Amino acid sequence: MSRPDSQSAAWFDRARAVTPGGVNSPVRAFAAVGGTPRFMASGRGAWLTDVDGNEYVDLVCSWGPMLLGHAHPEVLAAVGEAVARGTSYGTPTATEVELAEEIVARTPIERVRLVSSGTEATMSAIRLARGFTGRDVVVKFAGCYHGHVDSLLASAGSGLATFGVSTTPGVPESSAAQTIVLPYNDRAAVEAAFAEHGDRIACLITEASPGNMGVVPPAPGFNAFLAETCRRHGALFVSDEVMTGFRVSRSGQWGRDGAIEGWTPDLMTFGKVMGGGFPAAAFGGRADVMAMLSPEGPVYQAGTLAGNPIATTAGLATLRLATDEVYARVDDVARTISEAATKALAAAGVPHVLQAAGNMFSIFFTEAAEVPDYATAAGQDVEAFKAFFHAMLDRGVYLPPSAFEAWFCSAAHDDRAVQQVLDALPAAAEAAGGTR
Ligand SMILES: Cc1ncc(COP(=O)(O)O)c(C=O)c1O
């Protein structure tokens, strides 16, 4: 029952002739699941339509940004008006200020700087942390992705305080060597790394609730422990909320732990939802740290299109529309779909673990009882996921084309869209079971 894909295949051929791998971001190439990547022609609400005319319920939502669904009429109207006034001035604008105010109002940060991508946000936050502390070493967790920043592409070495080995050619060893990679959710590893290298550590950066190895939530109190450990050692705690920010609650993951437990990160990074589907991202934090940033202070950072009027208009419109009702709806959709998925897989006898951070969730095809870290996530049965993915795709559900990604819903996932997902799940679960 495969759907037609000849137009996508033709575009993929043309793409590969002019672009490495035929895509502008690797996961889009379907390398992890095989088959033809679908070239999308349009999106509306919960739905994507590809160039062959197939419709899909979208559970990727542009990897997070489309909290309100595609082509939200009020966001489109705001963007249309902004475009008609011109697309970029290279000067300050009122919209940038309003977006910054909205971000500050929803989070514990005091000052914010707008940039154009999540990668730029984390790169700049790291530079600022190094400039502020006068130290070089960065601590990160295996399986946490913070964009393609040289020093943050270092991966695990498992075990204590392993100095990172770069996982991609092109990253100088000297850069990776400034990075300590630790297993996620492992307090003892964090203690040991800080005991040995504490006076050289500029910052610890973590996904506030990791979604880039699949969803691996922090154990209760883990982020508070990280904040406290950093404080004790004079290092900055950088909470990367590019994925979770303004998605898992109006105040992101911080709204689900820090706001309740009473701690704040020194720096935070944002992207995705706050750009409303346009390239906008941000980093921000304590006023005294942010004051180190040019032109107020000596740490340089800049951007021709930073705070672009169209991107900030889309982001501002999105955040203003992201009300408590919107979050309640997204939470509800995520709960319904994730519970149905785990039920279908259980009925088909497929070993799996469902993990969620609010409305962000993923399913690990594994015999493990839980997935607390990257080493466990990496042990999953990717063949089962592949079969599951393609069975869902054939039934009009577009899942992330990798077993190591979060599933994303939107407030536009209405009952018809949710039902299409629920209807597809039993057969997909059987397909996953068939690979065993
Ligand atoms: C947690 C996190 N940080 C940073 C990034 C990088 O953002 P961008 O892809 O906009 O450069 C991502 C992207 O997925 C992310 O999930």
Side-chain angles (χ1 to χ4, degrees):
M1 64 179 295
S2 283
R3 299 174 147 213
D5 64 4
S6 61
Q7 294 301 317
S8 278
W11 279 109
F12 194 39
D13 282 345
R14 283 176 65 174
R16 275 182 296 194
V18 289
T19 299
V23 292
N24 288 309
S25 200
V27 72
R28 297 178 196 170
F30 273 30
V33 290
T36 305
R38 300 308 194 262
F39 280 60
M40 295 303 170
S42 64
R44 183 155 299 272
W47 300 86
L48 290 173
T49 304
D50 71 15
V51 289
D52 288 284
N54 303 302
E55 286 203 325
Y56 304 88
V57 180
D58 183 14
L59 293 181
V60 177
C61 289
S62 187
W63 302 96
M66 309 321 296
L67 181 75
L68 306 175
H70 297 282
H72 189 289
E74 288 177 56
V75 177
L76 290 193
V79 166
E81 281 172 27
V83 167
R85 290 193 298 271
T87 52
S88 182
Y89 318 128
T91 69
T93 63
T95 319
E96 287 167 89
V97 182
E98 290 181 297
L99 180 57
E101 287 171 348
E102 181 75 33
I103 292 171
V104 167
R106 283 172 174 249
T107 65
I109 67 174
E110 296 173 312
R111 302 276 188 281
V112 63
R113 169 71 50 94
L114 302 183
V115 293
S116 300
S117 73
T119 295
E120 224 186 318
T122 58
M123 178 187 77
S124 307
I126 297 290
R127 181 182 307 138
L128 181 56
R130 286 174 164 157
F132 183 80
T133 58
R135 302 170 177 182
D136 287 341
V137 173
V138 172
V139 178
K140 78 173 284 281
F141 292 107
C144 280
Y145 177 67
H146 303 289
H148 59 97
V149 180
D150 274 6
S151 60
L152 299 178
L153 281 174
S155 176
S158 58
L160 293 196
T162 311
F163 271 96
V165 178
S166 97
T167 38
T168 166
V171 174
E173 281 307 320
S174 56
S175 189
Q178 299 297 335
T179 309
I180 296 175
V181 184
L182 303 176
Y184 191 65
N185 270 327
D186 188 336
R187 288 184 183 222
V190 175
E191 296 278 17
F194 274 86
E196 192 174 348
H197 306 288
D199 58 349
R200 296 169 54 216
I201 296 173
C203 66
L204 178 149
I205 184 166
T206 183
E207 286 187 60
S209 180
N212 284 294
M213 50 181 144
V215 173
V216 176
F222 187 63
N223 280 331
F225 159 77
L226 296 177
E228 161 57 17
T229 305
C230 287
R231 201 191 54 74
R232 235 179 325 115
H233 289 273
L236 299 188
F237 178 46
V238 185
S239 181
D240 181 353
E241 293 238 27
V242 168
M243 185 179 278
T244 50
F246 319 112
R247 169 161 275 280
V248 297
S249 84
R250 71 185 307 283
S251 305
Q253 174 63 22
W254 180 82
R256 303 180 68 246
D257 55 20
I260 298 159
E261 295 162 358
W263 52 268
T264 56
D266 299 301
L267 289 173
M268 298 180 79
T269 53
F270 306 103
K272 299 197 189 253
V273 170
M274 61 150 283
F278 283 80
F283 65 103
R286 277 166 42 187
D288 61 330
V289 179
M290 293 299 286
M292 288 288 286
L293 209 56
S294 185
E296 216 170 323
V299 177
Y300 196 69
Q301 185 278 331
T304 300
L305 293 178
N308 171 269
I310 312 307
T312 50
T313 296
L316 184 62
T318 298
L319 290 187
R320 286 184 172 164
L321 288 161
T323 58
D324 290 346
E325 294 70 43
V326 160
Y327 289 106
R329 175 66 193 168
V330 182
D331 290 355
D332 209 33
V333 170
R335 202 175 311 112
T336 305
I337 292 177
S338 60
E339 282 174 5
T342 191
K343 209 167 137 198
L345 288 165
V350 180
H352 68 281
V353 175
L354 165 68
Q355 294 195 166
N359 57 43
M360 238 170 68
F361 65 95
S362 60
I363 289 173
F364 296 90
F365 291 83
T366 177
E367 309 257 358
E370 58 166 346
V371 180
D373 56 22
Y374 182 63
T376 317
Q380 64 175 316
D381 178 358
V382 290
E383 292 307 316
F385 176 78
K386 276 188 208 175
F388 183 79
F389 170 86
H390 278 291
M392 293 295 278
L393 193 70
D394 289 346
R395 289 163 181 78
V397 181
Y398 192 79
L399 291 179
S402 160
F404 298 94
E405 302 287 355
W407 302 17
F408 296 99
C409 308
S410 82
H413 282 65
D414 56 11
D415 292 348
R416 182 170 79 90
V418 171
Q419 193 57 49
Q420 182 150 321
V421 179
L422 302 192
D423 290 346
L425 282 167
E430 290 295 335
T435 61
R436 287 163 58 75

